[in-house]
Amino acid sequence: AIDASVDVPSRERHLVSTSTENKLERAFLHKRMSCQVSSLVSRAEGAGLLQDGAWFVEFGAGRGSLMTGFQDAMSCNGRTAAGHLLIDRDRVKDGLPGQSSKAFWEEQGRWRLMIVIANLRLSGITGLGSGGQRVVGIGKHVCGSATDLALRCLVNANLSESLYHHKI
């Protein structure tokens, strides 16, 4: 809200209120995203999916905030993932300098692929699921048809002899 007792030209008044609204909206969205990530990580932990040596594949990864939550939960519990694979169809705007470089992601133990899920063949990714490592597929921002494609992609990968089905 703008204090009416302050003499501010109407043009500047509008800029101030828009700026404040944008900050509040970003703070709200950040809090909501944090709650979503926390909930999904907690459910995955309860389902026993956060195991040493597991590979995590995030479909519709965007900025990778869900993967960051999984990575943080693993390290807090003294566990290490074999790797993190972020899948997205479009170029991602990370918002932070330096995070768009391939070297940055690989230093974090993450690899990013820009590909349409329908064209993705996980079995062609070297090291993914090798040696009986569990592969966990996750996604927060995927539509219904993309979810179907992601599940098909995981099943068709034939990464292990047994399939794990969890609803979280």
Side-chain angles (χ1 to χ4, degrees):
I2 297 173
D3 185 358
S5 65
V6 177
D7 187 22
V8 178
S10 64
R11 180 172 180 256
E12 291 179 49
R13 217 178 295 152
H14 175 71
L15 292 175
V16 170
S17 64
T18 301
S19 174
T20 301
E21 286 176 11
N22 288 342
K23 286 179 185 176
L24 290 173
E25 185 176 339
R26 280 194 305 270
F28 170 76
L29 291 174
H30 180 72
K31 182 177 180 180
R32 185 177 71 183
M33 180 199 65
S34 296
C35 289
Q36 291 170 343
V37 168
S38 176
S39 176
L40 289 169
V41 169
S42 174
R43 291 170 183 262
E45 176 69 35
L49 297 176
L50 303 183
Q51 296 180 2
D52 263 332
W55 268 90
F56 293 91
V57 180
E58 183 179 357
F59 296 92
R63 294 182 177 178
S65 60
L66 183 57
M67 193 62 70
T68 300
F70 274 74
Q71 201 168 20
D72 290 347
M74 294 281 288
S75 64
C76 284
N77 292 315
R79 299 181 189 134
T80 305
H84 302 273
L85 182 61
L86 292 88
I87 309 296
D88 218 327
R89 68 178 179 181
D90 296 322
R91 183 178 160 271
V92 177
K93 295 179 183 175
D94 290 308
L96 297 173
Q99 284 195 359
S100 58
S101 73
K102 183 179 174 185
F104 171 82
W105 288 102
E106 289 179 1
E107 287 172 14
Q108 303 293 315
R110 303 176 187 181
W111 290 266
R112 180 179 288 281
L113 293 178
M114 290 190 318
I115 188 170
V116 176
I117 297 172
N119 298 332
L120 177 64
R121 302 291 175 262
L122 290 176
S123 57
I125 298 174
T126 306
L128 182 67
S130 62
Q133 297 166 325
R134 176 180 269 191
V135 176
V136 179
I138 57 176
K140 186 175 79 149
H141 294 290
V142 288
C143 66
S145 59
T147 299
D148 293 343
L149 291 169
L151 290 171
R152 186 175 301 143
C153 181
L154 288 164
V155 170
N156 289 342
N158 229 1
L159 296 169
S160 65
E161 293 180 20
S162 58
L163 293 173
Y164 295 90
H165 300 279
H166 291 283
K167 181 179 179 181
I168 57 173

